[in-house]
């Protein structure tokens, strides 16, 4: 261990002499892009291995009823791996990365480098109705965070490398390098500067080259635009945007309610059994809900609806247009239920793929509905609506309209659909955001006031640590102390002009005494025995509660009260004071670190 440490120290010294910080970050961004690409390759191949093992032989040669048992077997295996191998909770990919950025200064535990890698392929491969994008992001982000820690890089560089890993993950999965960069900026609230743009570009490029090396020209959504866009289609894409917003709201509501329901269940075994059985029933009755669902999306884009809906449990006639619309709407409704149940039961995955899945179905369904009404002169393109529907749902659910637009534009190999993509994304995003101000990824953090955003002032306050600005060199006064004791034992010994009045046994804060309160009487010895602390103390203009207040709340309390020092309590007990001068000094230091 000592040898390794000395080798690393020698390397860091050599690096400091020969390579500038900016050059080093550029080199690391290429490495991080490569590791993200490799993470995507491993996750994809492992998942395909399990899917081929399960779906291929067992279902083909034995019976479709195996669909019922696969999810619960997969979830049980994931539970065993988490409990006995990883021995830590494996959180959902992108929310866990957001948490690390917002609350842990970009520090991610080592087990997160392999946690998703071991559990997500089993979850998805055995039929869990979730995606691999989130786990790929989490794996790449954890690797980049630990590389940054090992090389003693500062907080701002660590956040930049995590964003590079996220861009690399999306670039390698979808072969969409520009959308990947936009995603890192949009979802992780990264400041786009010249210093951050080059590393993001290089990470995205490194990842996509890695993907091409292993997967060749294979694409998740291979599609070329056949039906051109005409301006007369705009009203129909506006309708699609409205449906996208409504479906996004439905997605978020179902997801959060199912999660809350499972949170109330105490036992992990109870969660596993309930979730596993219900997912098994859903997948058995509706096989397209199995796994990520990219085959379904590709069939829809290529106009092959029969392949998606054949052998439907209701045995509806697929030649009847209304039957097809009903079945597609049912798939849209049940996909998020299956995804939320997978998470609730302890599965590991992401919501990116379910969002695309529901968006493609929703778009196809709306197009079929418009065409089947037969009241409009022109027919709309079902394949285009399928693709643009994905954009609508991504914009609404993930609150990432620009990522949604560029992703579909890049995937289709052109920008012919740019106007409909923008129209649909804008309307869907506006509707969804009006009802849910934060995305599914950020909802929980935002509710706690712990979400980093593009608001630089708020972001800097988020990174400041309250414990480091609390001052404890204020001498306490007890309520029964008389003026003489206060003058001789406290005032003469103190370097401060404010004194907390504290309950002698409980340690609770009762009030404060300012030097100005006692200056007129402190030299009148006739009052030394008759005046007590309770006679001269006053209520503080405001109190900072460590259990409740965030740094933004502290700043607001100083602003509203006009005070220079405010007392701090924790669990009802006095902790110290925070001074405005120390707070502003810490803010300035953090701002410099954040914007470097």
């Amino acid at each position: 261990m000592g040898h390794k440490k000395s080798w690393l120290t020698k390397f860091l010294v050599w690096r400091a002499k020969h390579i500038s910080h900016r050059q080093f970050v550029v080199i690391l961004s290429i490495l991080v892009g490569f590791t993200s690409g490799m993470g995507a390759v491993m996750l994809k191949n492992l998942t395909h291995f399990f899917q081929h093992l399960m779906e291929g032989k067992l279902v083909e040669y034995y019976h479709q009823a195996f669909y019922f048992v696969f999810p619960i077997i997969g979830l049980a295996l994931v539970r065993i791996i988490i409990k006995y191998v990883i021995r830590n909770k494996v959180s959902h990919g992108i929310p866990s990365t957001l948490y690390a950025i917002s609350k842990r200064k970009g520090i991610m535990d080592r087990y997160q480098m392999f946690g998703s890698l071991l559990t997500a392929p089993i979850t998805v491969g055995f039929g869990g109705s979730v995606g691999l994008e989130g786990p790929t992001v989490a794996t790449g982000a954890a690797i980049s965070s630990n590389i940054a820690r090992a090389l003693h890089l500062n907080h701002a560089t660590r956040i930049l490398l995590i964003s590079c890993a996220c861009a690399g993950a999306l670039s390698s999965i979808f072969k969409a390098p520009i959308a990947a960069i936009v995603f890192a900026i949009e979802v992780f609230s990264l400041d786009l500067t010249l210093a951050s743009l080059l590393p993001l570009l290089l990470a995205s490029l490194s990842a996509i080259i890695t993907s091409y090396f292993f997967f060749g020209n294979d694409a998740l959504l291979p599609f070329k635009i056949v039906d051109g866009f005409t301006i007369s289609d705009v009203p129909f894409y506006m309708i699609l945007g409205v449906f996208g917003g409504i479906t996004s709201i439905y997605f978020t509501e179902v997801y959060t309610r199912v999660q809350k329901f499972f949170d109330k269940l105490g036992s992990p075994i109870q969660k596993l059994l309930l979730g596993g059985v219900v997912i098994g029933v859903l997948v058995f009755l509706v096989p397209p809900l199995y796994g990520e669902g990219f085959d379904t999306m590709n069939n829809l884009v290529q106009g092959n609806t029969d392949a998606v809906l054949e052998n439907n449990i209701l045995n509806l006639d697929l030649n009847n247009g209304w039957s097809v619309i009903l079945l597609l709407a049912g798939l849209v409704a049940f996909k998020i239920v299956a995804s939320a149940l997978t998470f609730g039961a302890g599965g590991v995955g992401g919501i990116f793929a379910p969002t695309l899945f529901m968006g493609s179905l929703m778009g196809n369904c709306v197009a079929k509905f418009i065409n089947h009404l037969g009241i409009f002169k022109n027919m709309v393109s079902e394949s285009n609506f399928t693709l643009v529907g994905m954009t609508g749902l991504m914009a609404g659910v993930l609150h990432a309209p620009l990522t949604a637009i560029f992703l579909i534009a890049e995937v289709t190999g052109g920008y012919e659909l740019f106007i409909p993509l923008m129209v649909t994304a804008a309307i869907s995003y506006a509707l969804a955001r009006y009802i849910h101000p934060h995305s599914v990824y950020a909802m929980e953090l935002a509710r706690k006031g712990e979400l980093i955003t593009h608001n630089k002032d708020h972001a800097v306050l988020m990174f400041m640590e309250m414990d480091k600005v609390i001052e404890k060199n204020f001498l306490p006064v007890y309520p029964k102390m008389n003026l003489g004791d206060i003058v001789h034992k406290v005032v003469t010994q103190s370097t401060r002009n404010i004194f907390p009045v504290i309950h002698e046994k409980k340690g609770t804060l009762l009030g404060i005494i300012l030097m100005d309160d006692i200056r007129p009487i402190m030299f009148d010895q006739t009052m030394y025995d008759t005046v007590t602390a309770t006679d001269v103390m006053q209520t503080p203009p405001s109190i900072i509660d460590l259990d409740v207040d965030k740094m933004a709340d502290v700043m607001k309390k100083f602003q509203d009260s006009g005070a220079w020092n405010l007392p701090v309590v924790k669990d009802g007990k006095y902790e110290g004071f925070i001074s405005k001068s120390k707070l502003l000094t810490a803010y300035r230091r953090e701002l410099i670190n954040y914007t470097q």
Side-chain angles (χ1 to χ4, degrees), residues 103-124:
K103 291 306 293 172
R104 302 192 67 200
K105 296 202 169 186
I107 293 171
M108 298 181 77
D109 295 317
R110 287 187 177 87
Y111 76 85
Q112 289 176 284
M113 293 191 286
F114 58 85
S116 296
L117 210 57
L118 294 176
T119 52
I122 295 173
T123 302
V124 180

Side-chain angles (χ1 to χ4, degrees), residues 502-579:
I502 301 166
H503 192 286
E504 213 156 351
K505 291 179 180 173
K506 296 179 183 175
T508 52
L509 180 75
L510 302 175
I512 57 169
I513 295 174
L514 301 177
M515 194 69 165
D516 290 346
D517 294 333
I518 57 172
R519 189 176 282 112
I521 56 171
M522 64 185 288
F523 298 111
D524 186 350
Q525 294 188 8
T526 59
M527 303 180 77
Y528 275 19
D529 294 325
T530 55
V531 175
T532 62
T534 50
D535 296 328
V536 288
M537 77 177 186
Q538 60 172 277
T539 303
S542 193
I543 295 174
I544 296 163
D545 190 336
L546 277 182
D547 298 320
V548 177
D549 293 329
K550 303 287 180 290
M551 200 56 90
D553 302 318
V554 175
M555 279 287 197
K556 191 170 187 313
K557 285 186 175 182
F558 272 107
Q559 188 180 327
D560 294 345
S561 66
W564 199 253
N565 294 286
L566 287 177
V568 181
V569 298
K570 185 178 182 180
D571 298 327
K573 294 182 179 178
Y574 167 78
E575 283 286 311
F577 276 81
I578 291 179
S579 72

Side-chain angles (χ1 to χ4, degrees), residues 205-396:
L205 179 64
S206 170
I208 197 171
I209 289 171
T210 306
S211 180
Y212 269 106
F213 183 80
F214 285 96
F215 294 128
N217 290 323
D218 289 351
L220 277 180
L221 295 165
F223 179 74
K224 293 285 180 237
I225 296 167
V226 178
D227 303 317
F229 162 72
T230 57
I231 199 71
S232 59
D233 288 338
V234 168
F236 299 116
Y237 285 109
M238 291 173 75
I239 292 167
L240 181 61
V242 172
F243 274 99
I246 293 166
T247 311
S248 299
I249 294 162
Y250 167 76
F251 184 111
T252 307
E253 284 291 331
V254 171
Y255 178 83
T256 49
R257 287 183 186 192
V258 172
Q259 294 310 301
K260 283 175 184 173
F261 171 76
F262 273 91
D263 287 343
K264 289 175 186 172
L265 296 176
S267 160
I269 303 296
Q270 208 176 353
K271 292 178 185 179
L272 192 153
L273 289 172
L274 178 64
V277 168
V278 180
I279 298 161
V281 170
L282 280 174
V283 170
F284 173 65
L285 297 177
V286 193
L289 296 178
Y290 191 100
E292 291 183 285
F294 280 103
D295 288 343
T296 298
M297 292 181 233
N298 284 320
N299 280 323
L300 284 175
V301 167
Q302 287 152 18
N304 193 3
T305 314
D306 288 359
V308 176
L309 302 176
E310 63 186 355
N311 303 323
N312 63 83
I313 196 71
L314 299 174
N315 289 318
L316 293 178
D317 178 15
L318 297 184
N319 293 317
N320 183 320
W322 293 116
S323 299
V324 171
I325 292 167
L326 180 69
L327 288 168
L328 289 172
L331 272 175
V332 173
F334 282 113
K335 179 62 178 181
I336 182 53
V337 175
S339 299
L341 285 166
T342 305
F343 288 127
V348 176
I351 61 164
F352 209 100
T355 305
L356 291 176
F357 182 92
M358 282 177 68
S360 66
L361 287 159
M362 183 268 302
N364 195 277
C365 191
V366 171
K368 280 184 166 58
F369 181 76
I370 291 168
N371 288 338
H372 205 66
L373 282 174
I375 59 174
F376 301 106
K377 188 170 71 172
N378 297 324
M379 303 278 276
V380 298
S381 167
E382 291 183 8
S383 60
N384 285 0
F385 263 60
T386 304
L387 285 165
V388 178
M390 295 184 198
T391 302
L393 222 69
M394 276 181 68

Side-chain angles (χ1 to χ4, degrees), residues 342-515:
T342 305
F343 288 127
V348 176
I351 61 164
F352 209 100
T355 305
L356 291 176
F357 182 92
M358 282 177 68
S360 66
L361 287 159
M362 183 268 302
N364 195 277
C365 191
V366 171
K368 280 184 166 58
F369 181 76
I370 291 168
N371 288 338
H372 205 66
L373 282 174
I375 59 174
F376 301 106
K377 188 170 71 172
N378 297 324
M379 303 278 276
V380 298
S381 167
E382 291 183 8
S383 60
N384 285 0
F385 263 60
T386 304
L387 285 165
V388 178
M390 295 184 198
T391 302
L393 222 69
M394 276 181 68
V397 173
L398 310 183
H399 286 203
L402 292 175
T403 303
I405 292 163
F406 280 100
L407 180 67
I408 301 305
E410 279 192 283
V411 163
T412 56
Y415 291 86
E416 288 174 55
L417 290 179
F418 219 62
I419 293 171
L421 289 171
M422 291 172 74
V423 168
T424 305
I427 293 171
S428 177
Y429 174 65
L431 276 173
R433 182 153 190 178
Y434 180 74
I435 303 296
H436 298 120
H438 298 282
S439 70
V440 171
Y441 292 144
M443 201 172 273
E444 192 61 23
L445 282 173
R447 192 176 60 77
K448 294 177 182 173
E450 296 174 347
L451 177 68
I452 183 154
T453 67
H454 281 289
N455 180 333
K456 193 176 288 184
D457 179 62
H458 179 77
V460 172
L461 289 172
M462 283 283 311
F463 288 130
M464 289 171 64
E465 294 173 44
M466 196 97 73
D467 293 344
K468 291 187 177 177
V469 291
I470 297 175
E471 298 175 71
K472 303 201 175 187
N473 61 340
F474 290 81
L475 295 181
V477 171
Y478 301 108
K480 291 182 181 176
M481 284 177 74
N482 59 34
L483 182 61
D485 288 337
I486 293 170
V487 171
H488 295 123
K489 295 179 182 177
V490 180
V491 175
T492 56
Q493 307 296 318
S494 177
T495 56
R496 314 303 295 248
N497 62 356
I498 186 168
F499 314 101
V501 181
I502 301 166
H503 192 286
E504 213 156 351
K505 291 179 180 173
K506 296 179 183 175
T508 52
L509 180 75
L510 302 175
I512 57 169
I513 295 174
L514 301 177
M515 194 69 165

